Amino acid sequence: MKIQNTYELRKAVDRMIDNIKITDIHTHLFTTDFNDLLLWGVDELVTYHYLIAETMRWVDISYDEYWAMSKQEQADLIWDTLFIKNSPYSEACRGVLTVLEKLGLDVSSRDLNSYREYFKQMTVDQYIDKVFEVAGVSSIVMTNDPFEDAEREVWLGDYKADKRFKTALRIDPLLNAWNTKYKCLKEWGYDVKEELDENTLKEIRRFLNDWIDRMNPLYMAASLPPDFVVPEESSRSKIVEECIVPVSLERNVPFAMMIGVKKLVNPQLQVAGDSVGKGDVGTVEYLCAKYPHNKFLVTMLARENQHELCVAARKFRNLLVFGCWWFLNNPSLIEEMTRMRFELLGPSVIPQHSDARMLDQLIYKWTHSRKIIADVLFDKYNDIIATGWTIEEEEIQRDVEKIFGKNFWDFLEREF
Ligand code: RAT
Ligand code: ZN
């Protein structure tokens, strides 16, 4: 059906984006097989590490005192500091309020204990169904790190798949700390040395293949520092070119590079202590050009890298740019980036992932992002309609399906 006017356009874009079932390509969620690793509920939501960092700007307790508190005490402190003594309009605070509202709780009561009661009546299985429904998400991709003992145990024990939870093989330690982590591979039966000789490289490839067999991941991923450079004289660069790239190609498991994390700028903040630095888009271009049959998913953490990365994606069809990551997951920056990406790349991007660490966060991250993406898309259609171009509802639906899922699945050459 042809869109006749701006009013109809707005309605159609909003309806389609509200109703689309999303594939969320990067989260930190787990199936229930991983027990306590799946985080949910109001105390988890309020103690999200983004909120820990914000709280520690106000309070005068030491970091050690904070970390020694129970989860509930931490949540009480954060609630009092960020929600009661200040107005909670930072994006991470607002997110908590959106979750409470969408779950039907009374946000105006400000009563953390009554919210706790709500979650007590729920089993985790019921809650997973509810969150997927409210968030409008059909599947999410986990972050599965074989170097984490608690996770390994489940993989080597009785992992049972839940088809809503897809897998991604996370390999940061292999790339960022080979000089110590080679010992883990050794312990697990791989004949490796710190020196990357031919046999060691072969054994790293065997390690990757074994975990691909075990997990059936959609992609391999690593979070990488601003100074991530390939090629260079380093174990990381060698492992990328001699192990990741060939295994990725052979197994059709793309390599996802998440570039720009400055680890533990403030170590006392622990999980909340990382920062951002500008990365090297030249490395992305080098890999895409040198390995044209390989596929690369890339997100970068620095705002300053976004334009250059979009231009790189115009040059290489084997590069798929995704998400507004971490410190970029704020309305003003999502809007700016989405506008720029649509202008440079049309619908051939994945505008967002949630990075949810708590199940409940799927609700707010997607509520907030859907709205911004809808605003930008509406503007872009409006601009072309102004030339006399006409748009069918089915064409809007087609574009929305692509950016919220199909682009990802097509890139992987896998079925939804
Ligand atoms: O956004 C976050 O929660 C970060 O702490 C990281 O987990 C980041 O997203 C990552 O995947 O390394
Ligand atoms: Zn993440």
Side-chain angles (χ1 to χ4, degrees):
M1 222 173 57
K2 191 174 290 167
I3 299 286
Q4 304 291 352
N5 54 45
T6 311
Y7 176 77
E8 276 186 22
L9 175 66
R10 184 76 237 193
K11 285 263 170 247
V13 170
D14 286 351
R15 190 178 68 249
M16 285 169 202
I17 291 196
D18 279 352
N19 292 334
I20 192 78
K21 292 286 183 197
I22 292 171
T23 300
D24 186 346
I25 84 155
H26 171 61
T27 76
H28 297 267
L29 304 178
F30 291 94
T31 65
T32 51
D33 295 324
F34 293 86
N35 306 314
D36 294 348
L37 293 182
L38 173 61
L39 304 179
W40 60 287
V42 75
D43 285 317
E44 296 295 349
L45 265 179
V46 170
T47 55
Y48 186 27
H49 70 81
Y50 294 20
L51 292 177
I52 296 173
E54 291 172 32
T55 299
M56 295 314 271
R57 296 181 51 73
W58 292 109
V59 294
D60 57 11
I61 63 166
S62 71
Y63 297 105
D64 289 342
E65 280 171 277
Y66 176 82
W67 293 115
M69 290 175 172
S70 69
K71 174 80 59 179
Q72 189 163 327
E73 287 166 344
Q74 292 174 345
D76 285 336
L77 175 71
I78 294 178
W79 184 258
D80 184 56
T81 308
L82 297 182
F83 293 77
I84 305 299
K85 296 203 172 106
N86 291 284
S87 291
Y89 58 68
S90 76
E91 177 62 5
C93 286
R94 171 187 169 225
V96 176
L97 305 183
T98 301
V99 173
L100 298 175
E101 184 227 341
K102 294 279 174 197
L103 291 173
L105 296 166
D106 177 8
V107 177
S108 71
S109 79
R110 304 185 178 194
D111 181 1
L112 193 52
N113 283 326
S114 73
Y115 307 144
R116 286 180 174 132
E117 287 309 311
Y118 170 86
F119 290 95
K120 282 189 195 143
Q121 325 145 18
M122 200 91 71
T123 68
V124 65
D125 291 306
Q126 286 168 335
Y127 194 53
I128 294 174
D129 294 345
K130 182 169 181 98
V131 169
F132 273 70
E133 177 59 35
V134 177
V137 167
S138 54
S139 58
I140 62 99
V141 182
M142 302 183 276
T143 295
N144 304 107
D145 184 345
F147 289 86
E148 287 291 333
D149 290 337
E151 295 185 39
R152 273 178 71 74
E153 231 170 76
V154 177
W155 286 109
L156 300 174
D158 51 359
Y159 169 72
K160 287 180 256 16
D162 173 330
K163 65 180 184 346
R164 295 168 296 186
F165 291 70
K166 314 290 182 193
T167 50
L169 172 55
R170 181 81 174 227
I171 46 173
D172 299 16
L174 202 60
L175 294 179
N176 296 332
W178 174 253
N179 59 338
T180 54
K181 297 297 177 176
Y182 76 95
K183 292 183 190 143
C184 297
L185 266 73
K186 226 172 143 78
E187 198 185 305
W188 301 330
Y190 297 90
D191 179 24
V192 293
K193 293 199 276 225
E194 183 178 356
E195 184 210 338
L196 291 167
D197 58 17
E198 279 312 313
N199 188 60
T200 296
L201 292 168
K202 188 178 98 225
E203 285 293 272
I204 297 174
R205 290 191 290 268
R206 184 164 74 87
F207 167 79
L208 293 171
N209 272 304
D210 287 350
W211 279 96
I212 289 173
D213 290 340
R214 193 168 285 130
M215 284 181 181
N216 186 24
L218 297 183
Y219 57 80
M220 287 183 269
S223 142
L224 298 154
D227 64 0
F228 169 62
V229 172
V230 180
E232 65 169 11
E233 268 310 309
S234 70
S235 55
R236 181 166 53 216
S237 173
K238 193 154 187 154
I239 294 171
V240 167
E241 290 203 85
E242 307 274 336
C243 304
I244 313 274
V245 164
V247 171
S248 170
L249 181 66
E250 228 175 82
R251 305 298 302 266
N252 189 29
V253 176
F255 180 34
M257 294 178 276
M258 306 172 71
I259 306 169
V261 185
K262 273 208 263 181
K263 280 275 169 213
L264 291 179
V265 164
N266 181 352
Q268 292 187 297
L269 271 174
Q270 300 186 14
V271 63
D274 298 344
S275 187
V276 54
K278 285 194 282 289
D280 174 35
V281 178
T283 291
V284 176
E285 290 169 339
Y286 165 83
L287 287 168
C288 291
K290 173 116 189 253
Y291 305 104
H293 301 295
N294 271 76
K295 296 176 199 163
F296 301 95
L297 285 153
V298 176
T299 196
M300 295 185 83
L301 195 51
R303 182 187 188 190
E304 294 84 342
N305 280 130
Q306 301 309 322
H307 182 248
E308 212 180 331
L309 182 62
C310 277
V311 176
R314 293 174 65 84
K315 308 300 144 193
F316 299 103
R317 73 208 295 185
N318 57 341
L319 167 58
L320 184 55
V321 171
F322 73 96
C324 302
W325 182 25
W326 200 342
F327 310 111
L328 295 169
N329 196 347
N330 292 303
S332 59
L333 297 170
I334 300 169
E335 168 156 5
E336 167 185 294
M337 285 168 63
T338 305
R339 241 171 235 288
M340 180 172 61
R341 287 166 169 181
F342 286 176
E343 287 163 10
L344 279 162
L345 297 164
S348 71
V349 291
I350 299 174
Q352 190 56 304
H353 64 267
S354 77
D355 231 315
R357 278 186 178 260
M358 290 89 202
L359 179 64
D360 334 53
Q361 291 177 331
L362 290 176
I363 297 175
Y364 95 74
K365 302 241 187 189
W366 284 114
T367 303
H368 295 186
S369 288
R370 268 185 219 260
K371 162 92 177 59
I372 301 164
I373 296 166
D375 289 346
V376 177
L377 205 52
F378 167 76
D379 280 355
K380 295 294 137 201
Y381 287 132
N382 227 354
D383 289 347
I384 53 173
I385 286 174
T387 68
W389 183 257
T390 59
I391 294 182
E392 304 282 329
E393 284 206 3
E394 295 70 24
E395 291 169 333
I396 301 178
Q397 181 66 28
R398 173 202 60 200
D399 297 347
V400 168
E401 280 170 11
K402 285 186 184 179
I403 61 180
F404 285 100
K406 191 167 182 297
N407 283 343
F408 177 62
W409 293 103
D410 286 352
F411 190 70
L412 301 178
E413 297 171 277
R414 294 215 195 196
E415 291 298 319
F416 261 62

PDB file of all heavy atoms in Angstrom, residues 29-50:
ATOM      1  N   LEU A  29      23.911 -11.954  28.296  1.00  0.00           N
ATOM      2  CA  LEU A  29      22.899 -12.793  28.943  1.00  0.00           C
ATOM      3  C   LEU A  29      23.257 -14.256  28.756  1.00  0.00           C
ATOM      4  O   LEU A  29      24.045 -14.600  27.871  1.00  0.00           O
ATOM      5  CB  LEU A  29      21.525 -12.489  28.344  1.00  0.00           C
ATOM      6  CG  LEU A  29      21.114 -11.010  28.428  1.00  0.00           C
ATOM      7  CD1 LEU A  29      19.761 -10.795  27.755  1.00  0.00           C
ATOM      8  CD2 LEU A  29      21.077 -10.550  29.889  1.00  0.00           C
ATOM      9  N   PHE A  30      22.662 -15.096  29.568  1.00  0.00           N
ATOM     10  CA  PHE A  30      22.936 -16.536  29.519  1.00  0.00           C
ATOM     11  C   PHE A  30      21.637 -17.322  29.634  1.00  0.00           C
ATOM     12  O   PHE A  30      20.662 -16.823  30.195  1.00  0.00           O
ATOM     13  CB  PHE A  30      23.838 -16.938  30.702  1.00  0.00           C
ATOM     14  CG  PHE A  30      25.228 -16.402  30.612  1.00  0.00           C
ATOM     15  CD1 PHE A  30      25.563 -15.204  31.224  1.00  0.00           C
ATOM     16  CD2 PHE A  30      26.206 -17.081  29.904  1.00  0.00           C
ATOM     17  CE1 PHE A  30      26.846 -14.693  31.146  1.00  0.00           C
ATOM     18  CE2 PHE A  30      27.499 -16.579  29.812  1.00  0.00           C
ATOM     19  CZ  PHE A  30      27.825 -15.383  30.439  1.00  0.00           C
ATOM     20  N   THR A  31      21.658 -18.551  29.162  1.00  0.00           N
ATOM     21  CA  THR A  31      20.507 -19.430  29.421  1.00  0.00           C
ATOM     22  C   THR A  31      20.544 -19.831  30.899  1.00  0.00           C
ATOM     23  O   THR A  31      21.561 -19.655  31.580  1.00  0.00           O
ATOM     24  CB  THR A  31      20.579 -20.727  28.585  1.00  0.00           C
ATOM     25  OG1 THR A  31      21.731 -21.475  29.018  1.00  0.00           O
ATOM     26  CG2 THR A  31      20.697 -20.440  27.103  1.00  0.00           C
ATOM     27  N   THR A  32      19.461 -20.410  31.356  1.00  0.00           N
ATOM     28  CA  THR A  32      19.381 -20.785  32.778  1.00  0.00           C
ATOM     29  C   THR A  32      20.379 -21.903  33.130  1.00  0.00           C
ATOM     30  O   THR A  32      20.668 -22.103  34.304  1.00  0.00           O
ATOM     31  CB  THR A  32      17.960 -21.235  33.150  1.00  0.00           C
ATOM     32  OG1 THR A  32      17.544 -22.217  32.205  1.00  0.00           O
ATOM     33  CG2 THR A  32      16.991 -20.070  33.135  1.00  0.00           C
ATOM     34  N   ASP A  33      20.904 -22.612  32.137  1.00  0.00           N
ATOM     35  CA  ASP A  33      21.938 -23.635  32.418  1.00  0.00           C
ATOM     36  C   ASP A  33      23.150 -23.032  33.117  1.00  0.00           C
ATOM     37  O   ASP A  33      23.897 -23.726  33.795  1.00  0.00           O
ATOM     38  CB  ASP A  33      22.469 -24.261  31.121  1.00  0.00           C
ATOM     39  CG  ASP A  33      21.401 -25.023  30.411  1.00  0.00           C
ATOM     40  OD1 ASP A  33      20.571 -25.631  31.089  1.00  0.00           O
ATOM     41  OD2 ASP A  33      21.396 -24.979  29.163  1.00  0.00           O
ATOM     42  N   PHE A  34      23.343 -21.741  32.898  1.00  0.00           N
ATOM     43  CA  PHE A  34      24.516 -21.086  33.481  1.00  0.00           C
ATOM     44  C   PHE A  34      24.236 -20.543  34.886  1.00  0.00           C
ATOM     45  O   PHE A  34      25.014 -19.778  35.438  1.00  0.00           O
ATOM     46  CB  PHE A  34      25.022 -19.976  32.548  1.00  0.00           C
ATOM     47  CG  PHE A  34      25.586 -20.480  31.249  1.00  0.00           C
ATOM     48  CD1 PHE A  34      24.760 -20.719  30.160  1.00  0.00           C
ATOM     49  CD2 PHE A  34      26.945 -20.739  31.117  1.00  0.00           C
ATOM     50  CE1 PHE A  34      25.266 -21.192  28.955  1.00  0.00           C
ATOM     51  CE2 PHE A  34      27.469 -21.209  29.916  1.00  0.00           C
ATOM     52  CZ  PHE A  34      26.630 -21.440  28.834  1.00  0.00           C
ATOM     53  N   ASN A  35      23.076 -20.959  35.428  1.00  0.00           N
ATOM     54  CA  ASN A  35      22.693 -20.622  36.811  1.00  0.00           C
ATOM     55  C   ASN A  35      22.819 -19.144  37.119  1.00  0.00           C
ATOM     56  O   ASN A  35      22.224 -18.317  36.456  1.00  0.00           O
ATOM     57  CB  ASN A  35      23.489 -21.479  37.816  1.00  0.00           C
ATOM     58  CG  ASN A  35      23.331 -22.957  37.495  1.00  0.00           C
ATOM     59  OD1 ASN A  35      22.219 -23.404  37.248  1.00  0.00           O
ATOM     60  ND2 ASN A  35      24.422 -23.689  37.459  1.00  0.00           N
ATOM     61  N   ASP A  36      23.670 -18.828  38.119  1.00  0.00           N
ATOM     62  CA  ASP A  36      23.764 -17.440  38.600  1.00  0.00           C
ATOM     63  C   ASP A  36      24.327 -16.464  37.573  1.00  0.00           C
ATOM     64  O   ASP A  36      24.323 -15.255  37.802  1.00  0.00           O
ATOM     65  CB  ASP A  36      24.700 -17.376  39.820  1.00  0.00           C
ATOM     66  CG  ASP A  36      24.097 -18.129  40.972  1.00  0.00           C
ATOM     67  OD1 ASP A  36      22.902 -18.474  40.876  1.00  0.00           O
ATOM     68  OD2 ASP A  36      24.818 -18.361  41.959  1.00  0.00           O
ATOM     69  N   LEU A  37      24.856 -16.974  36.477  1.00  0.00           N
ATOM     70  CA  LEU A  37      25.414 -16.046  35.483  1.00  0.00           C
ATOM     71  C   LEU A  37      24.321 -15.256  34.765  1.00  0.00           C
ATOM     72  O   LEU A  37      24.576 -14.188  34.232  1.00  0.00           O
ATOM     73  CB  LEU A  37      26.276 -16.794  34.466  1.00  0.00           C
ATOM     74  CG  LEU A  37      27.569 -17.397  35.025  1.00  0.00           C
ATOM     75  CD1 LEU A  37      28.355 -18.064  33.915  1.00  0.00           C
ATOM     76  CD2 LEU A  37      28.429 -16.321  35.677  1.00  0.00           C
ATOM     77  N   LEU A  38      23.103 -15.793  34.752  1.00  0.00           N
ATOM     78  CA  LEU A  38      22.006 -15.010  34.179  1.00  0.00           C
ATOM     79  C   LEU A  38      21.496 -14.053  35.258  1.00  0.00           C
ATOM     80  O   LEU A  38      20.923 -14.471  36.258  1.00  0.00           O
ATOM     81  CB  LEU A  38      20.856 -15.914  33.704  1.00  0.00           C
ATOM     82  CG  LEU A  38      19.605 -15.146  33.253  1.00  0.00           C
ATOM     83  CD1 LEU A  38      19.882 -14.230  32.072  1.00  0.00           C
ATOM     84  CD2 LEU A  38      18.458 -16.087  32.910  1.00  0.00           C
ATOM     85  N   LEU A  39      21.733 -12.766  35.058  1.00  0.00           N
ATOM     86  CA  LEU A  39      21.357 -11.752  36.058  1.00  0.00           C
ATOM     87  C   LEU A  39      19.994 -11.152  35.720  1.00  0.00           C
ATOM     88  O   LEU A  39      19.693 -10.904  34.553  1.00  0.00           O
ATOM     89  CB  LEU A  39      22.410 -10.639  36.079  1.00  0.00           C
ATOM     90  CG  LEU A  39      23.856 -11.073  36.324  1.00  0.00           C
ATOM     91  CD1 LEU A  39      24.786  -9.859  36.293  1.00  0.00           C
ATOM     92  CD2 LEU A  39      24.011 -11.820  37.646  1.00  0.00           C
ATOM     93  N   TRP A  40      19.191 -10.941  36.740  1.00  0.00           N
ATOM     94  CA  TRP A  40      17.881 -10.298  36.535  1.00  0.00           C
ATOM     95  C   TRP A  40      17.344  -9.788  37.861  1.00  0.00           C
ATOM     96  O   TRP A  40      17.821 -10.156  38.921  1.00  0.00           O
ATOM     97  CB  TRP A  40      16.886 -11.284  35.889  1.00  0.00           C
ATOM     98  CG  TRP A  40      16.615 -12.525  36.690  1.00  0.00           C
ATOM     99  CD1 TRP A  40      17.463 -13.585  36.871  1.00  0.00           C
ATOM    100  CD2 TRP A  40      15.422 -12.842  37.427  1.00  0.00           C
ATOM    101  NE1 TRP A  40      16.874 -14.548  37.652  1.00  0.00           N
ATOM    102  CE2 TRP A  40      15.610 -14.119  38.009  1.00  0.00           C
ATOM    103  CE3 TRP A  40      14.205 -12.183  37.631  1.00  0.00           C
ATOM    104  CZ2 TRP A  40      14.644 -14.740  38.788  1.00  0.00           C
ATOM    105  CZ3 TRP A  40      13.238 -12.816  38.399  1.00  0.00           C
ATOM    106  CH2 TRP A  40      13.457 -14.074  38.960  1.00  0.00           C
ATOM    107  N   GLY A  41      16.342  -8.914  37.787  1.00  0.00           N
ATOM    108  CA  GLY A  41      15.709  -8.388  39.001  1.00  0.00           C
ATOM    109  C   GLY A  41      16.219  -7.002  39.356  1.00  0.00           C
ATOM    110  O   GLY A  41      17.243  -6.536  38.848  1.00  0.00           O
ATOM    111  N   VAL A  42      15.518  -6.350  40.271  1.00  0.00           N
ATOM    112  CA  VAL A  42      15.769  -4.922  40.477  1.00  0.00           C
ATOM    113  C   VAL A  42      17.126  -4.644  41.131  1.00  0.00           C
ATOM    114  O   VAL A  42      17.780  -3.642  40.819  1.00  0.00           O
ATOM    115  CB  VAL A  42      14.606  -4.253  41.244  1.00  0.00           C
ATOM    116  CG1 VAL A  42      14.609  -4.612  42.722  1.00  0.00           C
ATOM    117  CG2 VAL A  42      14.633  -2.741  41.052  1.00  0.00           C
ATOM    118  N   ASP A  43      17.584  -5.542  42.024  1.00  0.00           N
ATOM    119  CA  ASP A  43      18.891  -5.275  42.645  1.00  0.00           C
ATOM    120  C   ASP A  43      20.024  -5.372  41.612  1.00  0.00           C
ATOM    121  O   ASP A  43      20.995  -4.615  41.673  1.00  0.00           O
ATOM    122  CB  ASP A  43      19.135  -6.230  43.821  1.00  0.00           C
ATOM    123  CG  ASP A  43      18.288  -5.821  45.036  1.00  0.00           C
ATOM    124  OD1 ASP A  43      18.208  -4.619  45.328  1.00  0.00           O
ATOM    125  OD2 ASP A  43      17.688  -6.707  45.667  1.00  0.00           O
ATOM    126  N   GLU A  44      19.886  -6.293  40.679  1.00  0.00           N
ATOM    127  CA  GLU A  44      20.885  -6.379  39.604  1.00  0.00           C
ATOM    128  C   GLU A  44      20.811  -5.140  38.715  1.00  0.00           C
ATOM    129  O   GLU A  44      21.834  -4.532  38.376  1.00  0.00           O
ATOM    130  CB  GLU A  44      20.664  -7.639  38.749  1.00  0.00           C
ATOM    131  CG  GLU A  44      20.861  -8.960  39.489  1.00  0.00           C
ATOM    132  CD  GLU A  44      22.301  -9.190  39.951  1.00  0.00           C
ATOM    133  OE1 GLU A  44      23.200  -8.437  39.535  1.00  0.00           O
ATOM    134  OE2 GLU A  44      22.511 -10.130  40.741  1.00  0.00           O
ATOM    135  N   LEU A  45      19.591  -4.782  38.352  1.00  0.00           N
ATOM    136  CA  LEU A  45      19.410  -3.619  37.468  1.00  0.00           C
ATOM    137  C   LEU A  45      20.049  -2.360  38.048  1.00  0.00           C
ATOM    138  O   LEU A  45      20.726  -1.609  37.352  1.00  0.00           O
ATOM    139  CB  LEU A  45      17.914  -3.317  37.342  1.00  0.00           C
ATOM    140  CG  LEU A  45      17.143  -3.880  36.179  1.00  0.00           C
ATOM    141  CD1 LEU A  45      15.678  -3.439  36.302  1.00  0.00           C
ATOM    142  CD2 LEU A  45      17.701  -3.401  34.859  1.00  0.00           C
ATOM    143  N   VAL A  46      19.814  -2.170  39.344  1.00  0.00           N
ATOM    144  CA  VAL A  46      20.287  -0.946  39.982  1.00  0.00           C
ATOM    145  C   VAL A  46      21.803  -0.982  40.202  1.00  0.00           C
ATOM    146  O   VAL A  46      22.445   0.071  40.251  1.00  0.00           O
ATOM    147  CB  VAL A  46      19.497  -0.706  41.295  1.00  0.00           C
ATOM    148  CG1 VAL A  46      20.098   0.414  42.111  1.00  0.00           C
ATOM    149  CG2 VAL A  46      18.037  -0.404  40.988  1.00  0.00           C
ATOM    150  N   THR A  47      22.367  -2.169  40.279  1.00  0.00           N
ATOM    151  CA  THR A  47      23.825  -2.250  40.477  1.00  0.00           C
ATOM    152  C   THR A  47      24.592  -2.487  39.159  1.00  0.00           C
ATOM    153  O   THR A  47      25.738  -2.918  39.161  1.00  0.00           O
ATOM    154  CB  THR A  47      24.209  -3.350  41.495  1.00  0.00           C
ATOM    155  OG1 THR A  47      23.630  -4.589  41.063  1.00  0.00           O
ATOM    156  CG2 THR A  47      23.709  -3.011  42.882  1.00  0.00           C
ATOM    157  N   TYR A  48      23.947  -2.217  38.037  1.00  0.00           N
ATOM    158  CA  TYR A  48      24.602  -2.254  36.716  1.00  0.00           C
ATOM    159  C   TYR A  48      25.900  -1.436  36.801  1.00  0.00           C
ATOM    160  O   TYR A  48      25.916  -0.368  37.410  1.00  0.00           O
ATOM    161  CB  TYR A  48      23.642  -1.601  35.730  1.00  0.00           C
ATOM    162  CG  TYR A  48      24.014  -1.627  34.270  1.00  0.00           C
ATOM    163  CD1 TYR A  48      24.818  -2.617  33.712  1.00  0.00           C
ATOM    164  CD2 TYR A  48      23.495  -0.651  33.414  1.00  0.00           C
ATOM    165  CE1 TYR A  48      25.105  -2.628  32.362  1.00  0.00           C
ATOM    166  CE2 TYR A  48      23.778  -0.655  32.053  1.00  0.00           C
ATOM    167  CZ  TYR A  48      24.589  -1.644  31.532  1.00  0.00           C
ATOM    168  OH  TYR A  48      24.871  -1.657  30.188  1.00  0.00           O
ATOM    169  N   HIS A  49      26.961  -1.906  36.191  1.00  0.00           N
ATOM    170  CA  HIS A  49      28.235  -1.207  36.409  1.00  0.00           C
ATOM    171  C   HIS A  49      28.232   0.234  35.896  1.00  0.00           C
ATOM    172  O   HIS A  49      28.975   1.075  36.383  1.00  0.00           O
ATOM    173  CB  HIS A  49      29.435  -2.023  35.922  1.00  0.00           C
ATOM    174  CG  HIS A  49      29.574  -2.178  34.443  1.00  0.00           C
ATOM    175  ND1 HIS A  49      30.120  -1.218  33.647  1.00  0.00           N
ATOM    176  CD2 HIS A  49      29.272  -3.200  33.606  1.00  0.00           C
ATOM    177  CE1 HIS A  49      30.149  -1.634  32.389  1.00  0.00           C
ATOM    178  NE2 HIS A  49      29.627  -2.844  32.341  1.00  0.00           N
ATOM    179  N   TYR A  50      27.384   0.530  34.920  1.00  0.00           N
ATOM    180  CA  TYR A  50      27.291   1.919  34.470  1.00  0.00           C
ATOM    181  C   TYR A  50      26.848   2.805  35.649  1.00  0.00           C
ATOM    182  O   TYR A  50      27.254   3.962  35.766  1.00  0.00           O
ATOM    183  CB  TYR A  50      26.270   2.083  33.342  1.00  0.00           C
ATOM    184  CG  TYR A  50      26.585   1.406  32.002  1.00  0.00           C
ATOM    185  CD1 TYR A  50      27.485   0.354  31.863  1.00  0.00           C
ATOM    186  CD2 TYR A  50      25.942   1.831  30.842  1.00  0.00           C
ATOM    187  CE1 TYR A  50      27.726  -0.244  30.638  1.00  0.00           C
ATOM    188  CE2 TYR A  50      26.182   1.238  29.605  1.00  0.00           C
ATOM    189  CZ  TYR A  50      27.078   0.187  29.511  1.00  0.00           C
ATOM    190  OH  TYR A  50      27.309  -0.398  28.287  1.00  0.00           O
TER     191      TYR A  50
END
